[in-house]
Amino acid sequence: MWTTEHTAETTLDREAVWAALRDLHTGALRYDGADTFELHGPFAVGTELTVTPVGQDPFPSTIVDLVENETYADRTEFGTLVLTFRHTLVPTPDGTRVTHRLEIDGEGADVVGPELGPQISGDFPESMDALFEQARLRA
């Protein structure tokens, strides 16, 4: 398995960050530079969605973990590889700490991960800043 994560903090409360994250992943929120999500059912574990990264082809994913205001994760399978994207929100005395984690698992993950992983996760800091800005605008 190969993993990486990016953690950042905001003064926004967890509910405001969650609302923006939820709306992004249900397709209700769209903004420049963000992946596009199309939900195929309720916002719940087991629901499939289509993810379209900026400038790339769409791919299917499945929600595998969802606890309101706490965690969201979706999983995508590419051949023998399984990519899990997870957001974890933790309240702090001054706001919220958010961790965006990517796990690449499956046959060949230890070989492919070090090359593919940074290509996928390279924009995590900018993506999180943009998510915080959207949450701020909507709060």
Side-chain angles (χ1 to χ4, degrees):
M1 180 186 324
W2 184 92
T3 65
T4 190
E5 63 185 29
H6 172 72
T7 300
E9 293 191 14
T10 178
T11 56
L12 294 164
D13 64 34
R14 186 165 63 164
E15 291 76 14
V17 176
W18 176 261
L21 182 69
R22 177 199 61 225
D23 288 353
L24 175 64
H25 286 87
T26 61
L29 174 64
R30 296 183 184 195
Y31 52 91
D32 288 343
D35 294 351
T36 302
F37 296 85
E38 180 184 354
L39 202 59
H40 305 291
F43 188 58
V45 171
T47 297
E48 293 185 4
L49 59 153
T50 301
V51 182
T52 307
V54 176
Q56 297 181 33
D57 292 331
F59 58 84
S61 194
T62 304
I63 299 173
V64 294
D65 188 14
L66 192 152
V67 178
E68 187 171 347
N69 296 319
E70 292 182 20
T71 187
Y72 168 86
D74 60 62
R75 181 169 294 147
T76 301
E77 296 182 19
F78 285 113
T80 62
L81 297 176
V82 177
L83 285 69
T84 304
F85 297 86
R86 178 178 307 279
H87 285 83
T88 305
L89 289 67
V90 177
T92 67
D94 298 320
T96 307
R97 178 181 316 113
V98 180
T99 300
H100 188 182
R101 179 179 176 90
L102 167 63
E103 299 173 358
I104 301 176
D105 204 0
E107 186 179 331
D110 292 336
V111 175
V112 175
E115 181 179 335
L116 180 62
Q119 293 174 19
I120 295 171
S121 63
D123 70 346
F124 280 10
E126 294 84 6
S127 294
M128 194 170 303
D129 288 346
L131 180 69
F132 288 166
E133 180 60 21
Q134 291 299 313
R136 197 173 292 108
L137 291 170
R138 303 169 92 221

